[in-house]
Amino acid sequence: MKTQQVILRTSILAAVELGVFCFVGFDGALCAAGAKALGVSDTTASAGEQATVNTHGIMLVEAGGAIAIGAEVETGAGGRAVVLDDGVSNGIALDASSAAGDVIRIIRGI
């Protein structure tokens, strides 16, 4: 079982329905591909509800594809973590992912 060690958590008004373990933007929507994320959703939230977002520490995120341990990640489609390409880093993978939909740990804020 993978665990989280969250150092800092905040809430934001969800602009859209948010699933658990996805990157959330500063506007309360799913983070745009390649953009800087506020953090990772910790629970599901409907539009108009307060969403819990983990901003610093070790947290779980859904992968958008294969990711190696130690790889920097950015936001991909659907708020999923993908290997850093030409976007902004949103953390470092602490677990490997073999396929989209895997849940991995990342570390942010170091």
Side-chain angles (χ1 to χ4, degrees):
M1 179 172 87
K2 296 176 181 159
T3 61
Q4 302 185 97
Q5 290 85 41
V6 178
I7 296 170
L8 184 61
R9 162 181 295 147
T10 190
S11 61
I12 191 168
L13 185 66
V16 298
E17 185 170 331
L18 298 173
V20 67
F21 306 142
C22 61
F23 283 118
V24 177
F26 291 88
D27 59 357
L30 286 174
C31 187
K36 187 67 174 173
L38 171 63
V40 178
S41 60
D42 197 31
T43 59
T44 59
S46 297
E49 292 181 338
Q50 289 294 317
T52 303
V53 179
N54 299 326
T55 63
H56 291 78
I58 297 172
M59 59 203 70
L60 298 173
V61 67
E62 186 176 345
I67 300 172
I69 294 173
E72 285 193 74
V73 297
E74 68 181 32
T75 305
R80 293 176 169 181
V82 296
V83 175
L84 181 65
D85 184 21
D86 59 355
V88 178
S89 177
N90 277 312
I92 300 168
L94 297 179
D95 299 309
S97 166
S98 59
D102 288 349
V103 175
I104 63 169
R105 294 173 303 151
I106 62 167
I107 190 165
R108 289 178 48 114
I110 62 167

